[in-house]
Amino acid sequence: MNARLDLLHTVAPGATESEVFRLALEHAMGELGALGGAIHLRGPMSALRLVSAAGLPSALTRSWEIVDQEGPSAPALALHQGNGVWVPLSSNDTFRSGSGLAALPVSSEDRRIGALTLLTGDRGEPTPEQWDFLRAVVVWAEERILQAPMPSGPVHTELHGERLRQALKEVSVGSWDWDIRSGELIWDEAALELYGTSAADFTGRIENWMRIVHPHDLPPALAAAQRAIRDHTVFEAEYRVRRLDGSYGWTRARGRATYDDRGEALRMIGVGWESSESRSARDALSRALRHMSDGFLSVDEQWRITFANLEAERILGFSEEELFGRVLWDLPSARRVPGLEERCREAAAQEKPVGFDVPTPDTGLLYHLRLVPGPDSRTLYFTDVTDMRRQAEERRTAELATAERAARMTELTTDLAKATTTRDVVEAVARRVLPPFDATGLLMQVVEGDRLHHVGSVGYPQEFLDLLDRRPRGPEDPDWEPIVSGTPLFLSSVAEFAAHSPTHVDMPARAGKQAWAFLPLAASGHTFGVCVVAFDRPRLLTDEERTLLSTISALVAQALERARLYDAEHARSRELQRSLLPQGLPELAACTAAARYLPAGQGMDVGGDWYDIIPLSGGQVALVVGDVMGHGLPEAAAMGRLRTAVHTLADLELPPDEIMSHLNDIVGGMNEESYATCLYALYDSTTRTCSIARAGHPPPALVHPDGSVHFPEPAADPPLGAAKPPFETVEITVPEGSLLVLYTDGLVESAKRDIDAGMADLARLLRTTHEDGTDKDLERLCDTLTAGLLPAEQQAADDAAFLVARLHALPEDRMAAWPLPKDPRAAGQARRHVRGQLADWGLDDLVPSTELLVSELVGNVVRHAKGPVRLRLLYGAELICEVFDGSLTMPRIRRASESDEGGRGLQLITALSERWGVRYTRTGKCIWTEQGLLGPDGDNDPTPDAQDLMFAPDMFAADLDSLLPKDSGTSAESGGAGS
């Protein structure tokens, strides 16, 4: 026999379980030379609870407090296998090589209830002799556990005097509900307090209870629970629990399990209470319940009353003797509460604690009833919550009002943050401030010199506003007082207004108001205006309302100051943009036109939309529309630059695709984020052809004389700044009188309408106006398109510009053209053609000057250019003379000295014509001149001043050919080398 075992067998029966565990661990560790040991006992569900430990630091035992008995740990494996288990541990800073866990199961009454585990040193697995010793120690411990007494409760003393009153005051009974199958645990508030657990730390599992029970008391408490479940008896136990401060206090628990049809335990429901004071505290508890301030009833399963305290007697109207044994629902006071019996029976059937408020019809009081089902009884608590609920309702109403005010302040702050213009600010204040205060008028005025100018109002007649703007600053003026003093002024009635401002007693009647709040508007350190909130009836504002209005005025002032700066900048931007747009459209024979520019809605910055009509030579006209992407001054400035560039390039009479290429280079050189769309249409009235090039722009609409609408669609090149030349050009033949409509995307596209739908609407309006004849008046047509596509009630998010042009062809009888030879005879032939054609057109007065112009132009071509040579005359709003040749050399004006024979030809052309120029053609170039048909008095008088400077009036009385050899040109021909 081992000496240690001999020593253990000397321990007399009756040792406590904790003493048995301690001795078993110490001798087992000593025999094996182990580092430490622990004993776990089976708890509810699949948990092993640490009940005793020796030689182990708290950092290690903390992780062993609750062990899953189905897991891979040594105690769980021993419990599951029913035999000794060795689990080696990997070497690290804590354990050396050879360390491990040796575990054996612990049984009671043929049932494994736990495990004993040793942490060995570096000697490896125990030897067979050591395993035999451990089994003998476990057997000894199992025998002594059966002989251990129940844990003794606290020393019981009778409560007297102050201690009894304290017990009555502090008595607390908690209820609990344990789902035996899932391990779910429900504690009410009293149970949480009783078991020293905060709501945040409570996980709703049975492990919560196992952790707070004293390790010495846990085994018998678990055993009592298992016996009650097994034997279908009442569970009763007294044990210590750990409080929040770490100390332990005695409690008692009583409950009963419920079972399914197969006899398997489902859940256990019970109550617990503190038993630290005395075992006779049960009597003290009865007395405490008897005198507690809340009503307390105990009923059996048939709802017969078994106990009632004094407060319950008062509420129910009977003494305890009269109540004892009576069914609760037979009492008149219980029958008078509608639905009370049904709700209580439903709660009892569910076997869950429940609480709800119960009004008493007779007294008007409100009680909170709390029903706690027990194993064989039910407990009801009645608490008078009338004042508590009233105060809670008052708090809720006050909190709701505060929340509503905070919400309105938040909404106002949000709206003011979004407000861009002064109008936005006024609308936001009217929407968010006037309704909560039942106000009917809002007036915002700013200082302008010695006067106040209103910038926005709601609820005031226009006559009154006009009077305010004309009124100079005067004494006792309530509008000026907040501005001067910087403090609000509140006038609650007309009489108070008259007493304050006797010189302005007529103002309330004119405004139709009877109470006012004059709030100063201050920002950036100065007061710049006043905000007036007015009422149509007398109104005395509370201190809280006045404080709130003062706070609101500070927010409004900041927003209004910002909005005024925006308005000023926006006005300057609009003015700049309008100055960059055409101030008027030219009157041309090739087309009649009308246009509109429509800025974006309120609060939107200026855009970069533009349109233009550029008259060119030879009966040609350029129609342009474009859009710089984005909004703001930079975009408006970019629009001005592009419009100037288009004018310059168009004056060079470049083809549309080349103009687009140059514009693409210009936009690309602005900055990386600059893009623009553009459509350039070149109409030639002599051929009725229209050449169109576009870059990222919607196609134009062409309305034929029969009313059909067509959208010519040249290749959709990317926007300027992103495109890669060359650009595509499409040429279309335009019937006489056709309508060409150029527009930006803002006219046909919006958030609610895609561009295809917008173009369809545009086509529909153009067909309709053709059918009803509206399109005859182009200005009226523009108004119709604006109303149909951009209604005034809809705020547009983008600028829009469109140009409507009716195209006219030059009649064939107003055009004449002749080929000319490439020799000196060409000038003479040209003069003869001019004389004959002008005579046919009745333009005899233009013959002398035209002959000189053609002589100079043709002479220069013969001397300096190459063929073929061609002459063309166009008779439209002016007389156009064009000479074509096959050379690309451009003429230039020279300054001739007195001795030079040539170099004066182009100066002569400049003097004789209103304007002249050169344009490239596909085969060479064309030099052209324009002469006016009418002089200042309306008579045919082609610039006589320039001619009189150089020629005698009768110089052209005879044919110029008679003055020169038939085969020669004029002096211009012979001296035009430098023309």
Side-chain angles (χ1 to χ4, degrees):
M1 194 69 170
N2 186 285
R4 292 185 180 274
L5 292 176
D6 292 340
L7 183 61
L8 288 176
H9 281 291
T10 62
V11 177
T16 64
E17 287 183 346
S18 60
E19 181 68 11
V20 172
F21 293 154
R22 182 184 67 80
L23 291 173
L25 284 177
E26 289 179 352
H27 283 283
M29 290 166 54
E31 181 67 21
L32 271 69
L35 302 177
I39 293 180
H40 289 81
L41 291 184
R42 187 198 299 266
M45 306 301 297
S46 59
L48 287 173
R49 174 72 159 83
L50 179 66
V51 297
S52 183
L56 299 176
S58 59
L60 186 58
T61 58
R62 191 176 300 115
S63 62
W64 285 8
E65 285 187 356
I66 303 293
V67 175
D68 185 1
Q69 70 183 35
E70 303 297 334
S73 64
L77 293 175
L79 185 70
H80 182 68
Q81 297 177 10
N83 203 348
V85 172
W86 164 254
V87 178
L89 299 175
S90 58
S91 60
N92 51 36
D93 294 340
T94 305
F95 306 112
R96 296 181 179 180
S97 176
S99 298
L101 297 175
L104 280 171
V106 178
S107 302
S108 176
E109 298 179 347
D110 299 327
R111 179 175 177 271
R112 290 192 289 272
I113 64 172
L116 180 147
T117 306
L118 294 181
L119 174 61
T120 67
D122 54 1
R123 300 179 183 176
E125 183 178 0
T127 64
E129 293 78 12
Q130 291 174 331
W131 278 117
D132 291 340
F133 175 79
L134 291 178
R135 291 188 184 93
V137 170
V138 169
V139 170
W140 173 84
E142 291 172 347
E143 294 174 353
R144 290 298 187 269
I145 289 175
L146 295 175
Q147 300 169 356
M150 294 294 292
S152 59
V155 178
H156 304 307
T157 59
E158 187 67 31
L159 299 180
H160 297 284
E162 184 62 31
R163 297 188 67 190
L164 176 60
R165 286 190 292 273
Q166 186 68 18
L168 294 175
K169 180 179 180 181
E170 297 180 358
V171 66
S172 176
V173 178
S175 62
W176 46 267
D177 183 346
W178 168 34
D179 189 322
I180 299 174
R181 293 180 300 178
S182 67
E184 180 184 357
L185 180 65
I186 300 175
W187 284 348
D188 61 9
E189 293 183 3
L192 287 171
E193 182 178 358
L194 174 67
Y195 295 132
T197 303
S198 64
D201 296 333
F202 183 62
T203 63
R205 306 290 301 172
I206 191 62
E207 285 81 1
N208 274 109
W209 176 78
M210 294 173 65
R211 286 192 177 94
I212 56 97
V213 177
H214 194 284
H216 292 173
D217 301 339
L218 182 61
L222 291 174
Q226 296 294 348
R227 283 195 300 273
I229 294 173
R230 184 185 60 208
D231 300 337
H232 292 225
T233 59
V234 174
F235 163 67
E236 285 188 289
E238 189 170 18
Y239 47 83
R240 287 163 290 179
V241 297
R242 184 177 60 247
R243 298 189 177 97
L244 288 174
D245 60 2
S247 63
Y248 283 89
W250 284 94
T251 62
R252 286 190 63 83
R254 189 170 187 271
R256 182 185 288 276
T258 61
Y259 304 85
D260 60 13
D261 297 339
R262 296 187 301 272
E264 294 183 5
L266 297 177
R267 57 196 321 119
M268 180 178 285
I269 302 172
V271 295
W273 62 91
E274 189 173 357
S275 62
S276 296
E277 284 298 328
S278 67
R279 190 167 297 274
S280 62
R282 296 187 182 93
D283 299 332
L285 175 62
S286 177
R287 292 194 297 273
L289 292 175
R290 177 73 176 160
H291 294 87
M292 66 187 296
S293 59
D294 293 343
F296 180 85
L297 276 181
S298 178
V299 297
D300 61 14
E301 293 180 345
Q302 283 72 42
W303 299 94
R304 291 188 295 265
I305 299 174
T306 59
F307 179 84
N309 70 352
L310 293 176
E311 180 65 13
E313 294 176 12
R314 186 188 66 80
I315 296 173
L316 298 176
F318 295 95
S319 66
E320 184 180 16
E321 291 76 13
E322 294 171 322
L323 292 173
F324 190 80
R326 296 187 62 177
V327 176
L328 175 62
W329 314 123
D330 293 340
L331 300 177
S333 55
R335 291 198 302 268
R336 283 196 295 267
V337 179
L340 177 61
E341 180 178 359
E342 291 79 4
R343 296 180 70 177
C344 290
R345 289 186 181 276
E346 180 181 356
Q350 295 177 356
E351 297 185 347
K352 289 185 178 180
V354 68
F356 49 87
D357 288 350
V358 177
T360 54
D362 297 339
T363 62
L365 298 178
L366 186 67
Y367 288 91
H368 181 74
L369 184 146
R370 182 164 164 266
L371 172 66
V372 181
D376 53 5
S377 64
R378 301 173 180 92
T379 303
L380 292 90
Y381 298 85
F382 297 89
T383 304
D384 186 350
V385 293
T386 306
D387 292 338
M388 183 187 305
R389 295 291 187 264
R390 177 181 53 78
Q391 294 170 2
E393 180 64 22
E394 292 175 353
R395 286 195 303 271
R396 190 190 69 82
T397 303
E399 291 171 357
L400 180 61
T402 302
E404 289 178 353
R405 285 194 295 270
R408 291 194 183 101
M409 287 291 291
T410 302
E411 293 169 351
L412 175 62
T413 303
T414 302
D415 287 355
L416 291 179
K418 295 178 181 178
T420 305
T421 66
T422 300
R423 178 180 174 183
D424 294 339
V425 174
V426 173
E427 290 178 350
V429 175
R431 184 171 56 253
R432 300 298 184 189
V433 176
L434 297 189
F437 291 92
D438 293 329
T440 58
L442 175 67
L443 177 64
M444 292 192 187
Q445 302 177 88
V446 296
V447 178
E448 293 184 358
D450 63 343
R451 295 175 184 267
L452 289 177
H453 173 65
H454 91 278
V455 295
S457 64
V458 173
Y460 282 92
Q462 186 60 43
E463 300 80 13
F464 177 75
L465 299 177
D466 295 338
L467 175 63
L468 286 181
D469 288 340
R470 296 193 304 267
R471 188 182 62 175
R473 177 177 179 178
E476 301 172 348
D477 191 335
D479 291 322
W480 278 96
E481 183 172 324
I483 299 175
V484 175
S485 64
T487 58
L489 172 64
F490 300 96
L491 302 176
S492 59
S493 64
V494 174
E496 192 172 340
F497 184 99
H500 180 274
S501 305
T503 58
H504 299 86
V505 292
D506 60 327
M507 300 305 291
R510 291 176 178 269
K513 307 301 177 187
Q514 299 187 38
W516 302 263
F518 298 89
L519 309 171
L521 297 176
S524 303
H526 75 284
T527 304
F528 64 89
V530 62
C531 173
V532 183
V533 177
F535 307 84
D536 57 5
R537 57 182 177 81
R539 178 80 152 80
L540 180 61
L541 297 170
T542 65
D543 292 341
E544 184 180 1
E545 289 174 328
R546 295 186 178 194
T547 301
L548 184 57
L549 282 174
S550 300
T551 304
I552 289 173
S553 69
L555 298 174
V556 173
Q558 297 289 338
L560 185 60
E561 179 78 354
R562 185 176 63 249
R564 291 178 66 213
L565 293 175
Y566 173 83
D567 289 341
E569 180 180 355
H570 192 63
R572 289 192 294 268
S573 301
R574 290 284 188 207
E575 188 63 30
L576 171 63
Q577 186 187 42
R578 292 193 179 278
S579 68
L580 295 175
L581 289 172
Q583 302 304 304
L585 298 179
E587 297 181 3
L588 304 174
C591 71
T592 54
R596 292 289 186 275
Y597 168 74
L598 306 167
Q602 186 78 13
M604 298 299 295
D605 213 337
V606 294
D609 294 23
W610 92 92
Y611 59 87
D612 224 331
I613 293 184
I614 306 172
L616 302 175
S617 65
Q620 298 182 105
V621 60
L623 308 172
V624 191
V625 67
D627 180 7
V628 177
M629 296 183 183
H631 293 84
L633 279 176
E635 284 72 18
M639 177 268 285
R641 293 175 61 185
L642 287 180
R643 181 168 176 256
T644 302
V646 171
H647 265 273
T648 303
L649 295 170
D651 286 341
L652 295 176
E653 307 220 33
L654 299 177
D657 58 331
E658 291 189 27
I659 289 179
M660 284 295 182
S661 296
H662 287 296
L663 291 177
N664 187 62
D665 294 339
I666 293 172
V667 175
M670 290 180 179
N671 60 65
E672 295 182 355
E673 298 181 357
S674 291
Y675 299 99
T677 66
C678 183
L679 188 147
Y680 186 94
L682 178 62
Y683 174 65
D684 189 341
S685 63
T686 65
T687 61
R688 293 188 292 109
T689 60
C690 186
S691 302
I692 302 172
R694 65 182 179 127
H697 205 85
L702 179 63
V703 185
H704 291 84
D706 62 357
S708 61
V709 180
H710 173 58
F711 289 94
E713 295 201 15
D717 290 303
L720 299 175
K724 294 182 178 180
F727 289 86
E728 297 292 333
T729 302
V730 64
E731 287 191 0
I732 58 175
T733 301
V734 181
E736 165 64 25
S738 296
L739 203 62
L740 189 65
V741 181
L742 283 66
Y743 53 90
T744 61
D745 60 354
L747 182 70
V748 294
E749 187 178 26
S750 67
K752 298 181 180 179
R753 178 178 61 193
D754 60 32
I755 192 168
D756 292 333
M759 292 171 60
D761 291 341
L762 173 61
R764 175 181 53 79
L765 287 173
L766 291 173
R767 285 192 296 268
T768 302
T769 54
H770 178 81
E771 293 170 357
D772 60 20
T774 306
D775 64 348
K776 302 300 182 185
D777 183 347
L778 296 186
E779 292 293 338
R780 185 179 175 188
L781 174 60
C782 288
D783 294 338
T784 302
L785 295 180
T786 301
L789 297 174
L790 297 173
E793 62 273 11
Q794 295 183 8
Q795 178 165 310
D798 193 11
D799 291 17
F802 64 94
L803 175 65
V804 179
R806 190 172 301 282
L807 305 179
H808 305 291
L810 187 64
E812 293 185 2
D813 59 356
R814 293 294 186 96
M815 296 183 289
W818 304 272
L820 296 175
K822 179 69 171 62
D823 58 41
R825 293 175 302 167
Q829 294 180 17
R831 288 194 297 273
R832 286 193 295 273
H833 290 320
V834 167
R835 282 196 302 273
Q837 188 61 54
L838 294 185
D840 292 342
W841 285 342
L843 301 176
D844 297 309
D845 290 342
L846 294 179
V847 170
S849 59
T850 308
E851 283 187 328
L852 282 175
L853 289 173
V854 230
S855 295
E856 178 62 32
L857 296 177
V858 174
N860 276 338
V861 168
V862 171
R863 179 182 293 267
H864 302 291
K866 62 181 181 179
V869 182
R870 188 164 61 95
L871 170 66
R872 186 170 75 160
L873 295 179
L874 303 177
Y875 175 21
E878 58 277 315
L879 179 63
I880 300 174
C881 177
E882 298 177 330
V883 176
F884 299 84
D885 63 60
S887 172
L888 296 177
T889 304
M890 300 293 288
R892 59 187 180 87
I893 296 179
R894 283 175 28 184
R895 183 176 296 279
S897 64
E898 294 181 358
S899 60
D900 288 342
E901 295 183 1
R904 299 176 179 84
L906 292 182
Q907 297 178 13
L908 175 65
I909 291 174
T910 302
L912 292 176
S913 61
E914 289 187 348
R915 67 186 188 119
W916 69 276
V918 182
R919 70 174 181 270
Y920 289 108
T921 66
R922 294 178 180 177
T923 60
K925 69 177 181 295
C926 169
I927 305 177
W928 54 270
T929 65
E930 286 185 5
Q931 300 176 79
L933 299 180
L934 298 177
D937 299 328
D939 301 327
N940 288 3
D941 188 10
T943 61
D945 294 341
Q947 297 175 178
D948 292 345
L949 294 175
M950 297 179 287
F951 306 102
D954 58 351
M955 182 175 180
F956 300 100
D959 193 308
L960 190 60
D961 291 339
S962 64
L963 301 177
L964 299 171
K966 292 187 179 298
D967 296 334
S968 65
T970 64
S971 60
E973 296 164 339
S974 59
S979 298

